[in-house]
Amino acid sequence: MSDTIRKKNKSGKKIAALVFIFFAIFCSIFFAAKGRINTSPANKTALAIVSPVQNLFSWVGDQVNFVIDTVSEIRHLYDQNHQLREEVVLLRAQNLAASELSAENQRLRALLGYKQVATQFDLVAASIIGREAATWSSVVVINRGTLDGVADNMVVVTELGLVGHVMEAGLNTSKVQLILDPRSSVGALIQRPESRVAGIVEGDINNPNQPQMVNIPKNADVQVEDMVVTSGFGGIYPKGIVVGKIAEIHNDEGGLLKHGIISTSVNFEKLEDVAVIVASREAPPEPLPPPPQTPGTESNPQETAQKLLEAQQVQQQAQQQVQQAQQQQLQQAQQIQQQAQVPQPEQNYPQNNSGGFSQ
């Protein structure tokens, strides 16, 4: 019992001391702020006693405020970092979409430029949406069909050259057989004016990325880097579409023919957008260049053409005048002839009583 009472007395004294200290601090701060107290030795002693405690509480308060501010700032930075990460993901997606649209825009611009140049063709733009797994490099699927005017055996091209032809047209999609397919055959010829050798371009099962031009006579004028274009034979492919260049030339086993390996102008590994030729017309011939003029006698072609036109007009007028004069002469001759054919009127003479004519 005595120990318990002693402990309670000590606790009461400590509480009383703490209350006194806080009260003294409060009074000192209050009266100092009001300026109504003069510092005495007793007050100095009290201040010296409570100053360490005051500094301790001030330091603890500062640390608590620092921790609170730090935690708040960390939370703010975390939210901001999370928001910035979401914005980065969104901007990356937008950048990727913008890059894809830019690439598609460039491809469509190239097709549009080809459409403006190839005025003999009516084109329908299409995109490749699939490839057959069994014949990856031979057949592709495009997003155009009969509802868009596409039909079987229509030719498929890009601005770079020949792609293939439609082998099966559906309502909204169509299958396109590439010229790399070993089953395809395209009538072609060497574009070089000195050569003009004809042959057939078909796919090579041993080299699926490069077709070959076959049925070339052994002594034919075919060289490496010769440009190969469609010949127009066969009724499917129009004449003059670029196929590629001769990369290699090899002799056949029989020794009478040779074939050329073609480096296609179209990159089939990166093929994405194509154009279908839904109508074809013969391209108009290019105007003939004017003949070379003898030095010293050069003339302006426009002035010469104008003079020639004026001379033709004068000649036409002269011919018209001659025709009019001939018509007038013919009319006059007809009038004279009509007058000559008119009969003369008969003369009536008086008769006498004897029934004869009187003198």
Side-chain angles (χ1 to χ4, degrees), residues 111-112 114-116 118 121-125 155 157 275-279:
L111 285 177
L112 179 60
Y114 177 72
K115 183 177 182 179
Q116 294 176 351
F121 299 144
D122 292 338
L123 303 177
V124 173
V155 181
V157 297
V276 182
I277 300 177
V278 297

Side-chain angles (χ1 to χ4, degrees), residues 88-102:
V88 167
V89 173
L90 180 61
L91 291 175
R92 285 180 178 176
Q94 292 178 352
N95 188 22
L96 182 61
S99 300
E100 186 67 19
L101 290 176
S102 178

